[in-house]
Amino acid sequence: MGRVAELAGVSVRTLHHYDEIGLLEPSTRTAAGHRAYSADDVERLREVLAYRRLGFGLREIAELVDDPATDAVAHLCRLRGLLMDQRDRAAAMVTAIDRELEARAMGIRTTPEEQLKVFGARLYDAIGSAYPATRRTEPRIAARIWDALGDAQTVLNVGAGTGSYEPPDRDVTAVEPSAVMRAQRPPGAAPCVAAAAESLPFEDQSFDAAMAVSTVHHWPDPVAGLRELRRVARRVVVFTYDADDTGWRQRFWLTRDYLPEFADLLVGWPSLADLTRAIGGRAEPVLVPWDCADGFFEAYWRRPEAYLDEHVRRAVSVWTRVGPQAEQRAVSTLREDLSSGRWAERNRDLVALDTAELGLRLLVA
Ligand SMILES: C[S@@+](CC[C@H](N)C(=O)[O-])C[C@H]1O[C@@H](n2cnc3c(N)ncnc32)[C@H](O)[C@@H]1O
């Protein structure tokens, strides 16, 4: 035990504790009859310590390492993904802090918006590379957006990402602040300007229409951004969600039963009325089809197994924002409920539905 503790850089007391709580029990004996760690035990210890270092609690770790569906390779892949995310997030924050230090050294105070940017576009610099795996055009939602654009010929797409909802038959200009997202725009995509919604580098009324899809909730100041869209275009179309209607959060089993932390992300978020007022428009519900092609947060409401897939989660910022502990707890509870039949029992009614009202809205002005 002493040798293993020394190699792993933990105290013998820690190993005793893991043994006592059943997290890691040495499974073999030495010739002298002392308990010893087998190669499998050491492998398990490595997983325990790695999850520990990522901030998981011992109970959560026990669930993770006891899961029979996850072998050593799957654990390594998951750990690698979590560590890369953490590294990318840390790198993005270091860059932001360096900028602020530089600005302060020159006597410039950064604005509250600038200080918060690290959680907006910078978040996409950190998670953006996972985006194209599951985020693509959902044709039924695209049809609604394109219809709402009316006869607009020149269209500004703000927070454009990889351009999933850009209409192919109009003259599109994209705006995207994240370098990682800009770099992933497909060849031949519309020209893309590096800018943020809150300060668009265009003259008043320079486009027939401006659109913003699944992006407003990332802007440090959504109302200011929407006013900018209104300023530069005659028509505005925004695909977003209604944060103040708690009804759909209660209806959606994922936020209700597994990820209540989602509610914390909405604190301070403007009401739907504030958003529609900012563009002077109206809000229409958008139902989510059961086989939605765009893997946004609510997309898999009738395909719960999808949320167990790391790729699905990495392409949705909610999972990064709630943090690894809430994420792993939600996923392991969901996994258990799916295998025990509890999820199916609780959500029996969903099988008969082809669409769901989960608070998504199209704002049109
Ligand atoms: C979920 S993605 C949506 C991308 C695309 N509209 C789509 O539907 O696939 C959100 C995008 O908003 C961008 N974003 C973040 N803060 C922004 C801001 N202040 N102004 C404009 N875009 C922003 C992110 O960089 C990211 O590309």
Side-chain angles (χ1 to χ4, degrees):
M1 194 175 262
R3 172 99 181 104
V4 168
E6 192 188 324
L7 278 172
V10 294
S11 65
V12 173
R13 225 175 116 212
T14 301
L15 292 183
H16 275 305
H17 181 59
Y18 291 171
D19 186 4
E20 273 157 30
I21 61 172
L23 183 60
L24 179 69
E25 293 158 309
S27 57
T28 57
R29 298 221 168 241
T30 62
H34 295 301
R35 295 184 337 135
Y37 292 92
S38 67
D40 282 350
D41 297 339
V42 170
E43 197 168 271
R44 186 172 163 104
L45 175 62
R46 190 216 27 227
E47 284 155 12
V48 169
L49 295 176
Y51 284 119
R52 195 87 185 103
R53 202 155 287 183
L54 278 160
F56 287 83
L58 290 178
R59 200 173 314 149
E60 284 168 308
I61 296 176
E63 275 176 27
L64 286 167
V65 295
D66 281 337
D67 178 5
T70 314
D71 62 11
V73 172
H75 275 300
L76 286 173
C77 290
R78 178 189 290 160
L79 283 164
R80 187 172 191 285
L82 289 166
L83 285 164
M84 298 285 279
D85 273 358
Q86 206 174 57
R87 188 196 63 181
D88 291 349
R89 258 179 282 160
M93 291 191 78
V94 168
T95 311
I97 287 172
D98 284 348
R99 284 211 189 118
E100 184 164 346
L101 283 173
E102 240 171 66
R104 281 180 188 246
M106 292 188 295
I108 304 167
R109 282 299 287 241
T110 47
T111 63
E113 286 81 14
E114 281 164 341
Q115 288 166 18
L116 288 177
K117 263 188 194 154
V118 67
F119 302 106
R122 298 214 171 279
L123 176 68
Y124 267 89
D125 279 341
I127 69 167
S129 54
Y131 198 81
T134 59
R135 302 300 298 270
R136 52 186 77 97
T137 318
E138 161 47 54
R140 288 154 287 192
I141 297 179
R144 291 278 301 275
I145 295 170
W146 298 347
D147 190 42
L149 289 172
D151 58 5
Q153 270 315 304
T154 55
V155 176
L156 183 70
N157 184 21
V158 180
T162 52
S164 289
Y165 290 89
E166 281 163 18
D169 54 349
R170 328 220 186 178
D171 175 6
V172 177
T173 304
V175 165
E176 170 54 56
S178 157
V180 173
M181 295 301 270
R182 284 199 304 277
Q184 293 181 102
R185 290 176 61 78
C192 187
V193 177
E198 293 86 346
S199 169
L200 293 173
F202 304 106
E203 302 283 321
D204 293 1
Q205 305 285 294
S206 35
F207 297 90
D208 295 335
M211 58 185 268
V213 178
S214 304
T215 173
V216 175
H217 53 290
H218 293 290
W219 303 353
D221 189 343
V223 168
L226 290 176
R227 288 206 185 112
E228 273 291 89
L229 263 66
R230 177 77 281 186
R231 179 183 69 75
V232 302
R234 280 176 279 278
R235 183 185 281 263
V236 179
V237 179
V238 176
F239 181 52
T240 184
Y241 55 78
D242 184 355
D244 45 359
D245 172 11
T246 48
W248 68 266
R249 276 187 262 152
Q250 280 310 312
R251 265 195 319 281
F252 186 25
W253 53 266
L254 181 58
T255 46
R256 183 191 62 214
D257 302 332
Y258 301 95
L259 201 63
E261 289 84 355
F262 181 79
D264 302 338
L265 305 182
L266 302 177
V267 173
W269 177 250
S271 68
L272 193 68
D274 289 339
L275 299 180
T276 39
R277 205 174 305 119
I279 56 167
R282 60 177 196 282
E284 302 167 0
V286 177
L287 305 184
V288 185
W290 76 272
D291 53 353
C292 185
D294 186 353
F296 49 73
F297 183 61
E298 301 83 355
Y300 304 95
W301 60 270
R302 221 184 91 180
R303 294 168 289 170
E305 287 80 9
Y307 295 106
L308 304 181
D309 182 343
E310 180 87 25
H311 292 103
V312 164
R313 298 198 306 279
R314 290 286 68 79
V316 176
S317 61
V318 168
W319 294 104
T320 300
R321 288 182 169 208
V322 293
Q325 297 201 8
E327 174 179 9
Q328 288 308 323
R329 191 217 53 241
V331 172
S332 58
T333 318
L334 175 60
R335 185 180 289 114
E336 276 163 29
D337 286 359
L338 285 169
S339 64
S340 70
R342 193 173 147 86
W343 184 91
E345 199 180 297
R346 270 202 198 148
N347 297 287
R348 214 178 284 130
D349 304 346
L350 296 188
V351 195
L353 301 180
D354 286 338
T355 56
E357 209 294 73
L358 296 174
L360 300 187
R361 297 285 179 270
L362 197 64
L363 316 186
V364 185

